């Protein structure tokens, strides 16, 4: 990777960000939701670009001192290259700079790689939502900053 930049997501980035989800056959967000979220003051989305090509994105919503991780997606061909770590680090930095003291997220019980990543950054499993994803549980993680 030649030229990595982490930037605040712009409306012109939405289409390419959504295409990244398709590389994993997931559909967390869509263009309408992202477009709407980018207009709100309490949402913060970032993209990772390599030579101006979006290879990952993440977003949070926040109220007062608490944030919820909405999504974190890295293009399949860029997994295990530290891109997700860059995204999480950047979001934690944003939270710290904006006096956000807690980040919550949910992750599928079978998504062990994501769980290990979150735990690497100090997230702790605090709850389980039984059968949240049809027959799969969701684990709720929290990071206190």
């Amino acid at each position: 990777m030649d030229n990595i930049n982490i930037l605040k997501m712009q409306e012109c980035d939405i289409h390419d960000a959504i295409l990244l989800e398709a590389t994993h056959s997931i559909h967390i967000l869509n263009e309408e939701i992202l477009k709407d979220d980018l207009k709100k003051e309490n949402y913060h989305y970032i993209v990772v670009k390599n030579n101006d090509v979006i290879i990952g994105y993440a977003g949070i919503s926040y109220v007062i001192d608490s944030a919820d991780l909405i999504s974190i997606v890295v293009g399949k061909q860029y997994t295990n290259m530290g891109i997700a770590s860059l995204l999480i680090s950047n979001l934690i930095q944003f939270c710290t700079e904006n006096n956000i003291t807690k980040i919550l997220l949910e992750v599928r019980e079978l998504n062990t790689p994501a769980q290990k990543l979150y735990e690497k950054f100090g997230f702790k499993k605090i709850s389980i939502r039984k059968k949240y994803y049809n027959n799969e549980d969701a684990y709720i993680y929290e990071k206190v900053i």
Side-chain angles (χ1 to χ4, degrees):
M1 293 188 288
D2 302 324
N3 189 14
I4 298 290
N5 291 299
I6 301 175
L7 306 162
K8 187 171 181 180
M9 183 185 282
Q10 303 296 317
E11 193 170 327
C12 62
D13 297 324
I14 293 174
H15 179 75
D16 291 339
I18 294 298
L19 289 177
L20 286 181
E21 291 187 9
T23 67
H24 294 279
S25 301
I26 58 173
H27 304 287
I28 299 168
L29 301 172
N30 62 42
E31 290 188 34
E32 293 266 332
I33 291 171
L34 273 173
K35 194 179 288 189
D36 189 47
D37 286 355
L38 289 181
K39 295 174 187 172
K40 297 175 184 173
E41 288 183 19
N42 63 324
Y43 283 74
H44 179 71
Y45 285 90
I46 54 176
V47 294
V48 175
K49 292 186 177 184
N50 179 34
N51 292 323
D52 294 325
V53 174
I54 295 175
I55 61 173
Y57 85 91
I60 59 170
S61 65
Y62 55 97
V63 177
I64 307 172
D65 63 347
S66 181
D68 290 305
L69 180 68
I70 299 168
S71 65
I72 181 166
V73 180
V74 175
K76 225 176 194 162
Q77 66 271 36
Y78 299 101
T79 56
N80 298 317
M81 296 179 150
I83 303 304
S85 291
L86 284 173
L87 288 163
I88 292 173
S89 293
N90 190 280
L91 290 176
I92 291 170
Q93 179 181 345
F94 173 85
C95 289
T96 300
E97 291 170 356
N98 288 278
N99 300 315
I100 298 167
T101 59
K102 178 173 58 174
I103 305 172
L104 295 163
L105 63 87
E106 66 186 39
V107 61
R108 292 177 180 269
E109 69 177 315
L110 298 178
N111 192 347
T112 307
Q115 292 169 34
K116 288 181 180 177
L117 176 68
Y118 299 137
E119 290 167 2
K120 176 179 121 178
F121 281 91
F123 285 83
K124 306 283 186 216
K125 184 170 32 170
I126 60 167
S127 182
I128 298 173
R129 289 187 178 145
K130 294 286 186 186
K131 310 294 183 207
Y132 187 73
Y133 300 104
N134 296 323
N135 288 325
E136 189 178 352
D137 294 345
Y139 293 157
I140 309 303
Y141 278 78
E142 176 184 62
K143 177 174 178 62
V144 177
I145 301 174

